[in-house]
Coordinates of all heavy atoms in Angstrom, one line a residue:
M92 N 75.4 157.5 197.6 CA 74.7 156.3 197.5 C 75.7 155.1 197.5 O 76.7 155.1 196.9 CB 73.8 156.2 196.3 CG 73.1 154.9 196.1 SD 72.0 154.9 194.7 CE 70.6 155.6 195.4
D93 N 75.3 154.0 198.3 CA 76.1 152.8 198.3 C 76.2 152.2 197.0 O 75.2 152.0 196.3 CB 75.5 151.9 199.4 CG 76.3 150.6 199.6 OD1 77.3 150.5 199.0 OD2 75.8 149.8 200.4
A94 N 77.4 151.8 196.6 CA 77.7 151.2 195.3 C 76.8 149.9 195.1 O 76.3 149.7 194.0 CB 79.1 150.9 195.1
S95 N 76.7 149.1 196.2 CA 75.9 147.9 196.0 C 74.4 148.2 195.7 O 73.7 147.5 195.0 CB 76.0 147.0 197.3 OG 75.5 147.7 198.4
V96 N 73.9 149.3 196.3 CA 72.5 149.7 196.0 C 72.4 150.1 194.6 O 71.4 149.8 193.9 CB 72.1 150.9 197.0 CG1 70.8 151.4 196.6 CG2 72.1 150.4 198.4
S97 N 73.4 150.8 194.1 CA 73.4 151.3 192.7 C 73.4 150.1 191.7 O 72.6 150.1 190.8 CB 74.6 152.2 192.4 OG 74.6 153.3 193.3
V98 N 74.2 149.1 192.0 CA 74.3 147.9 191.1 C 73.0 147.2 191.2 O 72.4 146.8 190.2 CB 75.5 147.0 191.5 CG1 75.4 145.7 190.8 CG2 76.8 147.7 191.3
A99 N 72.4 147.1 192.4 CA 71.1 146.4 192.5 C 70.0 147.1 191.8 O 69.2 146.5 191.1 CB 70.8 146.2 194.0
S100 N 70.0 148.4 191.8 CA 69.1 149.2 191.1 C 69.2 149.0 189.6 O 68.2 148.9 188.9 CB 69.2 150.7 191.5 OG 68.4 151.5 190.7
I101 N 70.4 149.1 189.1 CA 70.6 148.8 187.7 C 70.2 147.4 187.3 O 69.5 147.2 186.3 CB 72.1 149.1 187.3 CG1 72.4 150.6 187.4 CG2 72.4 148.6 185.9 CD1 73.9 150.9 187.3
A102 N 70.5 146.4 188.1 CA 70.1 145.1 187.8 C 68.6 145.0 187.8 O 68.0 144.3 186.9 CB 70.6 144.1 188.9
R103 N 67.9 145.6 188.7 CA 66.4 145.6 188.8 C 65.8 146.3 187.5 O 65.0 145.8 186.8 CB 65.9 146.3 190.0 CG 64.4 146.4 190.1 CD 63.9 147.2 191.3 NE 64.6 148.4 191.5 CZ 64.4 149.6 190.9 NH1 63.5 149.6 189.9 NH2 65.1 150.7 191.2
R104 N 66.4 147.4 187.1 CA 65.9 148.1 185.9 C 66.2 147.3 184.7 O 65.4 147.3 183.8 CB 66.6 149.5 185.8 CG 66.2 150.5 186.8 CD 67.1 151.7 186.8 NE 66.9 152.6 187.9 CZ 66.0 153.5 188.0 NH1 65.1 153.7 187.0 NH2 65.8 154.3 189.0
F105 N 67.3 146.6 184.7 CA 67.7 145.7 183.5 C 66.6 144.6 183.4 O 66.1 144.3 182.3 CB 69.1 145.2 183.6 CG 69.4 144.2 182.5 CD1 69.7 144.7 181.2 CD2 69.4 142.9 182.7 CE1 70.0 143.9 180.2 CE2 69.7 142.0 181.6 CZ 70.0 142.5 180.4
S106 N 66.4 143.9 184.5 CA 65.4 142.8 184.5 C 64.0 143.3 184.2 O 63.2 142.6 183.6 CB 65.4 142.0 185.8 OG 65.1 142.8 186.9
D107 N 63.7 144.5 184.6 CA 62.3 145.1 184.3 C 62.2 145.4 182.8 O 61.1 145.5 182.3 CB 62.1 146.4 185.1 CG 61.9 146.2 186.6 OD1 61.7 145.0 187.0 OD2 61.9 147.2 187.3
S108 N 63.4 145.5 182.1 CA 63.4 145.9 180.7 C 63.1 144.6 179.8 O 63.3 144.7 178.6 CB 64.7 146.5 180.3 OG 65.7 145.6 180.3
S109 N 62.8 143.5 180.5 CA 62.5 142.3 179.7 C 61.1 142.2 179.2 O 60.6 141.1 178.9 CB 63.0 141.1 180.5 OG 62.3 141.0 181.7
A110 N 60.4 143.3 179.1 CA 59.0 143.3 178.6 C 59.1 142.9 177.1 O 60.2 143.1 176.5 CB 58.5 144.7 178.7
P111 N 58.0 142.4 176.6 CA 58.1 141.9 175.2 C 58.7 142.8 174.2 O 59.5 142.4 173.3 CB 56.6 141.6 174.9 CG 56.0 141.3 176.2 CD 56.7 142.2 177.2
R112 N 58.4 144.1 174.2 CA 59.0 145.1 173.3 C 60.5 145.3 173.5 O 61.2 145.3 172.6 CB 58.3 146.5 173.4 CG 57.3 146.7 172.3 CD 56.7 148.1 172.4 NE 57.7 149.2 172.5 CZ 57.5 150.3 173.2 NH1 56.3 150.5 173.8 NH2 58.4 151.2 173.2
A113 N 60.9 145.3 174.8 CA 62.3 145.6 175.1 C 63.1 144.3 174.8 O 64.3 144.5 174.5 CB 62.4 145.9 176.6
E114 N 62.6 143.1 174.8 CA 63.3 141.9 174.5 C 63.9 141.9 173.1 O 64.8 141.2 172.9 CB 62.5 140.7 174.8 CG 62.4 140.4 176.3 CD 61.6 139.1 176.5 OE1 61.0 138.5 175.5 OE2 61.6 138.6 177.6
R115 N 63.3 142.7 172.3 CA 63.8 142.7 170.9 C 65.1 143.5 170.8 O 65.8 143.4 169.8 CB 62.8 143.3 170.0 CG 61.6 142.4 169.8 CD 60.6 143.0 168.9 NE 59.4 142.1 168.9 CZ 58.2 142.5 168.6 NH1 58.0 143.8 168.3 NH2 57.2 141.7 168.6
L116 N 65.4 144.3 171.8 CA 66.6 145.1 171.8 C 67.8 144.3 172.2 O 67.7 143.4 173.0 CB 66.5 146.3 172.8 CG 65.6 147.4 172.5 CD1 65.5 148.4 173.6 CD2 66.0 148.1 171.2
P117 N 69.0 144.6 171.6 CA 70.2 143.8 172.1 C 70.4 144.1 173.6 O 70.0 145.1 174.1 CB 71.3 144.5 171.3 CG 70.7 145.2 170.1 CD 69.3 145.5 170.6
K118 N 71.0 143.1 174.2 CA 71.2 143.2 175.7 C 72.0 144.5 176.1 O 71.7 145.1 177.1 CB 71.9 142.0 176.2 CG 71.1 140.8 176.2 CD 71.9 139.6 176.7 CE 71.0 138.3 176.6 NZ 71.8 137.2 177.1
Y119 N 73.0 144.9 175.3 CA 73.8 146.0 175.6 C 72.9 147.3 175.6 O 73.1 148.2 176.4 CB 75.0 146.2 174.7 CG 74.8 146.9 173.4 CD1 75.0 148.2 173.3 CD2 74.4 146.1 172.3 CE1 74.8 148.9 172.0 CE2 74.2 146.8 171.1 CZ 74.4 148.1 171.0 OH 74.2 148.8 169.8
L120 N 71.9 147.4 174.7 CA 71.1 148.6 174.7 C 70.1 148.5 175.8 O 69.8 149.6 176.4 CB 70.3 148.6 173.3 CG 71.1 149.2 172.1 CD1 70.2 149.2 170.9 CD2 71.6 150.6 172.4
R121 N 69.6 147.3 176.2 CA 68.7 147.2 177.4 C 69.5 147.7 178.6 O 68.9 148.5 179.4 CB 68.2 145.8 177.5 CG 67.2 145.4 176.5 CD 66.7 144.0 176.6 NE 66.5 143.5 177.9 CZ 66.7 142.3 178.3 NH1 67.0 141.4 177.4 NH2 66.5 141.9 179.5
L122 N 70.7 147.3 178.7 CA 71.5 147.8 179.9 C 71.8 149.3 179.8 O 71.7 150.0 180.8 CB 72.8 147.0 180.0 CG 73.8 147.4 181.1 CD1 73.1 147.3 182.5 CD2 75.0 146.6 181.1
S123 N 72.1 149.8 178.7 CA 72.4 151.2 178.5 C 71.1 152.0 178.9 O 71.2 153.0 179.6 CB 72.8 151.5 177.0 OG 72.9 152.8 176.8
H124 N 70.0 151.5 178.4 CA 68.7 152.2 178.8 C 68.5 152.2 180.3 O 68.0 153.1 180.9 CB 67.6 151.6 178.0 CG 67.6 151.9 176.5 ND1 66.6 151.4 175.7 CD2 68.5 152.5 175.8 CE1 66.9 151.8 174.4 NE2 68.1 152.4 174.5
A125 N 68.8 151.0 180.9 CA 68.6 150.9 182.4 C 69.5 151.8 183.1 O 69.1 152.5 184.1 CB 68.8 149.4 182.8
M126 N 70.7 151.9 182.7 CA 71.7 152.8 183.3 C 71.3 154.3 183.1 O 71.4 155.1 184.0 CB 73.1 152.6 182.8 CG 73.6 151.2 183.2 SD 75.2 150.8 182.5 CE 76.2 151.5 183.7
L127 N 70.8 154.6 181.9 CA 70.4 156.0 181.6 C 69.2 156.3 182.4 O 69.1 157.5 182.9 CB 70.1 156.1 180.1 CG 69.7 157.5 179.6 CD1 70.8 158.5 179.9 CD2 69.4 157.5 178.1
D128 N 68.3 155.4 182.6 CA 67.1 155.6 183.4 C 67.5 155.9 184.9 O 67.0 156.8 185.5 CB 66.2 154.4 183.4 CG 64.9 154.6 184.1 OD1 64.3 155.7 183.9 OD2 64.4 153.7 184.8
A129 N 68.5 155.2 185.4 CA 69.0 155.5 186.7 C 69.7 156.8 186.8 O 69.5 157.5 187.9 CB 70.1 154.4 187.1
I130 N 70.3 157.3 185.8 CA 71.0 158.6 185.8 C 69.9 159.7 185.7 O 69.9 160.6 186.5 CB 71.9 158.8 184.6 CG1 73.1 157.8 184.7 CG2 72.3 160.2 184.4 CD1 74.0 157.7 183.5
V131 N 68.9 159.5 184.8 CA 67.8 160.5 184.7 C 67.0 160.6 186.0 O 66.6 161.7 186.3 CB 66.9 160.2 183.5 CG1 65.7 161.0 183.4 CG2 67.7 160.3 182.2
S132 N 66.8 159.5 186.6 CA 66.0 159.5 187.9 C 66.7 160.1 189.1 O 66.1 160.3 190.1 CB 65.5 158.1 188.2 OG 66.6 157.3 188.7
G133 N 68.0 160.4 188.9 CA 68.8 161.1 189.9 C 69.5 160.1 190.8 O 70.1 160.6 191.8
E134 N 69.5 158.9 190.5 CA 70.3 157.9 191.4 C 71.8 158.2 191.3 O 72.5 157.9 192.2 CB 70.0 156.5 191.0 CG 68.6 156.0 191.4 CD 68.4 154.6 191.1 OE1 69.2 153.7 191.5 OE2 67.3 154.3 190.6
F135 N 72.2 158.7 190.1 CA 73.6 159.1 189.9 C 73.6 160.6 189.6 O 73.0 161.0 188.7 CB 74.2 158.3 188.8 CG 74.3 156.8 189.0 CD1 73.4 156.0 188.5 CD2 75.3 156.3 189.8 CE1 73.4 154.6 188.7 CE2 75.3 154.9 190.0 CZ 74.4 154.1 189.5
R136 N 74.4 161.3 190.5 CA 74.5 162.7 190.3 C 75.6 163.0 189.3 O 76.6 162.2 189.2 CB 74.7 163.4 191.6 CG 73.5 163.2 192.5 CD 73.5 164.3 193.6 NE 72.2 164.3 194.2 CZ 71.9 163.9 195.4 NH1 72.9 163.5 196.2 NH2 70.7 164.0 195.9
P137 N 75.6 164.2 188.7 CA 76.7 164.6 187.8 C 78.0 164.5 188.6 O 78.1 165.0 189.8 CB 76.4 166.0 187.4 CG 74.9 166.1 187.5 CD 74.5 165.2 188.7
G138 N 79.0 163.9 188.1 CA 80.3 163.8 188.7 C 80.5 162.6 189.6 O 81.6 162.3 190.1
S139 N 79.4 161.9 189.9 CA 79.5 160.7 190.7 C 80.0 159.5 190.0 O 79.9 159.5 188.7 CB 78.1 160.3 191.4 OG 77.2 159.9 190.4
Q140 N 80.5 158.5 190.7 CA 81.1 157.4 190.0 C 80.0 156.3 189.9 O 79.3 156.0 190.8 CB 82.2 156.8 190.9 CG 83.0 155.7 190.2 CD 84.3 155.4 191.0 OE1 84.6 156.1 192.0 NE2 85.0 154.4 190.6
M141 N 79.9 155.7 188.7 CA 79.0 154.6 188.4 C 79.7 153.3 188.8 O 80.9 153.3 189.0 CB 78.7 154.6 186.9 CG 78.1 155.9 186.4 SD 76.7 155.9 185.4 CE 75.9 154.4 185.4
P142 N 78.9 152.3 189.0 CA 79.5 151.0 189.3 C 80.5 150.6 188.2 O 80.3 150.9 187.0 CB 78.3 150.0 189.4 CG 77.1 150.9 189.5 CD 77.4 152.2 188.9
G143 N 81.5 149.9 188.6 CA 82.5 149.4 187.7 C 82.0 148.2 186.8 O 81.0 147.5 187.2
E144 N 82.7 148.0 185.7 CA 82.3 146.9 184.8 C 82.4 145.6 185.5 O 81.5 144.7 185.3 CB 83.2 146.9 183.6 CG 83.1 148.2 182.8 CD 84.1 148.3 181.7 OE1 85.1 147.6 181.7 OE2 84.0 149.2 180.9
R145 N 83.4 145.3 186.3 CA 83.5 144.0 187.0 C 82.4 143.8 188.0 O 81.9 142.7 188.2 CB 84.9 143.9 187.6 CG 86.0 144.0 186.6 CD 86.8 142.8 186.4 NE 87.9 143.0 185.4 CZ 88.0 142.4 184.3 NH1 87.1 141.5 184.0 NH2 88.9 142.6 183.5
E146 N 82.1 144.9 188.7 CA 81.0 144.9 189.7 C 79.7 144.5 189.0 O 78.9 143.7 189.5 CB 80.9 146.3 190.3 CG 80.4 146.4 191.7 CD 80.5 147.8 192.2 OE1 81.2 148.6 191.7 OE2 79.8 148.0 193.2
L147 N 79.4 145.1 187.8 CA 78.2 144.8 187.1 C 78.2 143.4 186.6 O 77.2 142.7 186.6 CB 78.0 145.8 185.9 CG 77.7 147.3 186.3 CD1 77.9 148.2 185.2 CD2 76.3 147.4 187.0
T148 N 79.4 142.9 186.1 CA 79.5 141.6 185.6 C 79.2 140.5 186.7 O 78.6 139.5 186.4 CB 81.0 141.3 185.1 OG1 81.2 142.3 184.1 CG2 81.1 139.9 184.5
A149 N 79.5 140.9 188.0 CA 79.3 140.0 189.1 C 77.8 139.8 189.4 O 77.4 138.7 189.9 CB 80.0 140.4 190.3
I150 N 77.0 140.8 189.1 CA 75.6 140.7 189.5 C 74.6 140.5 188.3 O 73.6 140.0 188.5 CB 75.2 142.0 190.3 CG1 73.9 141.7 191.1 CG2 75.1 143.2 189.5 CD1 73.6 142.7 192.1
L151 N 75.1 140.9 187.1 CA 74.2 140.8 186.0 C 74.5 139.6 185.1 O 75.7 139.2 185.0 CB 74.3 142.1 185.1 CG 73.8 143.4 185.7 CD1 74.3 144.6 184.8 CD2 72.3 143.4 185.9
P152 N 73.5 139.0 184.5 CA 73.8 137.9 183.6 C 74.3 138.3 182.2 O 73.7 137.9 181.2 CB 72.4 137.2 183.6 CG 71.4 138.4 183.6 CD 72.1 139.4 184.5
L153 N 75.3 139.1 182.2 CA 75.9 139.6 181.0 C 77.4 139.4 181.0 O 78.0 139.4 182.0 CB 75.5 141.1 180.9 CG 74.1 141.5 180.9 CD1 73.9 143.0 181.0 CD2 73.4 140.9 179.7
S154 N 77.9 139.4 179.8 CA 79.4 139.3 179.7 C 80.0 140.6 179.8 O 79.4 141.7 179.7 CB 79.7 138.7 178.3 OG 79.5 139.7 177.3
L155 N 81.3 140.6 180.1 CA 82.0 141.9 180.3 C 82.0 142.7 179.0 O 81.8 143.9 179.0 CB 83.5 141.6 180.6 CG 84.4 142.8 180.8 CD1 83.9 143.7 181.9 CD2 85.8 142.3 181.1
G156 N 82.0 142.0 177.8 CA 82.0 142.7 176.5 C 80.6 143.4 176.4 O 80.6 144.5 175.8
T157 N 79.5 142.8 176.8 CA 78.2 143.4 176.7 C 78.1 144.7 177.6 O 77.6 145.7 177.2 CB 77.1 142.4 177.1 OG1 77.2 141.3 176.2 CG2 75.7 143.0 177.0
I158 N 78.7 144.6 178.8 CA 78.7 145.7 179.7 C 79.6 146.8 179.2 O 79.2 148.0 179.2 CB 79.1 145.2 181.1 CG1 78.0 144.3 181.7 CG2 79.4 146.4 182.0 CD1 78.4 143.6 183.0
Q159 N 80.7 146.5 178.6 CA 81.6 147.5 178.0 C 80.9 148.2 176.8 O 81.0 149.4 176.7 CB 82.9 146.9 177.6 CG 83.8 146.5 178.7 CD 85.0 145.7 178.3 OE1 85.0 145.0 177.3 NE2 86.0 145.8 179.1
K160 N 80.1 147.4 176.1 CA 79.4 148.0 174.9 C 78.3 149.0 175.4 O 78.1 150.0 174.8 CB 78.8 146.9 174.1 CG 78.5 147.2 172.7 CD 78.2 146.0 171.8 CE 77.9 146.4 170.4 NZ 77.6 145.2 169.6
A161 N 77.7 148.6 176.5 CA 76.6 149.5 177.0 C 77.3 150.8 177.6 O 76.7 151.9 177.3 CB 75.9 148.8 178.2
M162 N 78.4 150.7 178.2 CA 79.1 151.8 178.7 C 79.5 152.7 177.6 O 79.4 153.9 177.6 CB 80.3 151.4 179.6 CG 79.9 150.8 180.9 SD 79.0 151.8 182.0 CE 80.2 152.9 182.6
N163 N 80.1 152.1 176.5 CA 80.5 152.9 175.3 C 79.3 153.6 174.7 O 79.5 154.7 174.2 CB 81.2 152.0 174.3 CG 82.6 151.6 174.8 OD1 83.2 152.2 175.6 ND2 83.0 150.4 174.3
D164 N 78.1 153.0 174.7 CA 76.9 153.6 174.2 C 76.6 154.9 175.0 O 76.3 155.9 174.4 CB 75.8 152.6 174.2 CG 74.5 153.2 173.6 OD1 74.6 153.6 172.4 OD2 73.5 153.3 174.3
L165 N 76.7 154.8 176.3 CA 76.5 156.0 177.1 C 77.6 157.1 176.9 O 77.2 158.3 176.9 CB 76.5 155.6 178.6 CG 75.3 154.7 179.0 CD1 75.5 154.3 180.5 CD2 74.0 155.4 178.8
V166 N 78.8 156.6 176.6 CA 79.9 157.6 176.3 C 79.5 158.3 175.0 O 79.7 159.5 174.8 CB 81.2 156.9 176.3 CG1 82.3 157.8 175.7 CG2 81.6 156.4 177.7
D167 N 79.1 157.5 174.0 CA 78.8 158.0 172.7 C 77.7 159.0 172.7 O 77.6 160.0 172.0 CB 78.4 156.9 171.7 CG 79.6 156.0 171.3 OD1 80.8 156.4 171.6 OD2 79.4 154.9 170.8
Q168 N 76.7 158.8 173.7 CA 75.6 159.7 173.9 C 76.0 161.0 174.6 O 75.3 161.9 174.8 CB 74.5 159.0 174.6 CG 73.8 157.9 173.9 CD 72.7 157.3 174.7 OE1 71.8 158.0 175.2 NE2 72.7 156.0 174.9
G169 N 77.2 161.0 175.2 CA 77.7 162.1 176.0 C 77.2 162.2 177.4 O 77.3 163.2 178.1
V170 N 76.7 161.0 177.9 CA 76.1 161.0 179.2 C 77.1 160.6 180.3 O 77.1 161.0 181.4 CB 74.9 159.9 179.2 CG1 74.3 159.7 180.6 CG2 73.9 160.3 178.2
V171 N 78.1 159.8 179.9 CA 79.1 159.2 180.8 C 80.5 159.6 180.2 O 80.7 159.5 179.0 CB 78.9 157.7 181.0 CG1 80.1 157.1 181.7 CG2 77.6 157.4 181.6
I172 N 81.4 159.9 181.2 CA 82.8 160.0 180.8 C 83.6 158.9 181.4 O 83.4 158.6 182.6 CB 83.3 161.4 181.3 CG1 82.6 162.5 180.7 CG2 84.8 161.5 181.1 CD1 82.9 163.9 181.3
R173 N 84.3 158.2 180.6 CA 85.1 157.1 181.2 C 86.5 157.5 181.5 O 87.1 158.3 180.7 CB 85.2 155.9 180.1 CG 83.8 155.3 179.9 CD 83.9 154.2 178.9 NE 84.1 153.0 179.7 CZ 84.2 151.8 179.2 NH1 84.1 151.6 178.0 NH2 84.3 150.8 180.0
R174 N 87.0 157.1 182.6 CA 88.4 157.3 183.0 C 89.0 156.0 183.4 O 88.5 155.4 184.4 CB 88.4 158.3 184.2 CG 87.9 159.7 183.8 CD 88.0 160.6 185.0 NE 87.3 161.9 184.7 CZ 86.8 162.6 185.5 NH1 86.9 162.3 186.8 NH2 86.2 163.7 185.2
P175 N 90.0 155.6 182.7 CA 90.6 154.3 183.1 C 91.1 154.3 184.5 O 91.6 155.2 185.1 CB 91.8 154.2 182.1 CG 91.5 155.1 181.0 CD 90.6 156.2 181.6
G176 N 90.8 153.2 185.2 CA 91.2 153.0 186.6 C 90.3 153.6 187.6 O 90.5 153.6 188.8
M177 N 89.2 154.3 187.1 CA 88.3 155.0 188.0 C 87.0 154.2 188.1 O 86.5 153.8 187.2 CB 88.0 156.4 187.6 CG 89.2 157.3 187.6 SD 89.8 157.8 189.2 CE 88.4 158.7 189.9

């Protein structure tokens, strides 16, 4: 899958998560849930590369720190493995 399509999909899922109930969640959790949803739906296959933090920062209205926190949440859940420089 094209990386730009992946980022656009995550951005769409993130903006869809602005429903009244979801708005109470911190932004990093909303992003983490959007990314997890993309993984569960099969947009990202095991072993595939997710969009980079800077790529996500360019398209999402979030700070780099928020994006890093969301990625760390996925790592803590055992869903994503981070590799520096990858």
Side-chain angles (χ1 to χ4, degrees):
M92 173 176 280
D93 184 359
S95 61
V96 173
S97 301
V98 173
S100 173
I101 290 171
R103 179 183 42 78
R104 290 171 191 276
F105 177 77
S106 60
D107 288 350
S108 73
S109 59
R112 256 184 52 212
E114 282 185 349
R115 293 184 184 151
L116 291 175
K118 289 180 184 178
Y119 83 93
L120 282 179
R121 287 178 38 211
L122 177 58
S123 175
H124 292 181
M126 294 175 84
L127 183 59
D128 187 44
I130 292 167
V131 169
S132 72
E134 286 185 49
F135 296 101
R136 293 203 166 112
S139 67
Q140 189 171 353
M141 303 227 13
E144 295 169 352
R145 302 245 181 243
E146 210 175 340
L147 291 168
T148 303
I150 197 166
L151 294 170
L153 302 170
S154 70
L155 178 59
T157 299
I158 291 170
Q159 289 172 333
K160 201 168 180 181
M162 292 297 286
N163 287 334
D164 183 57
L165 293 173
V166 169
D167 291 345
Q168 291 181 52
V170 177
V171 171
I172 297 171
R173 295 183 91 176
R174 294 185 189 149
M177 294 290 296

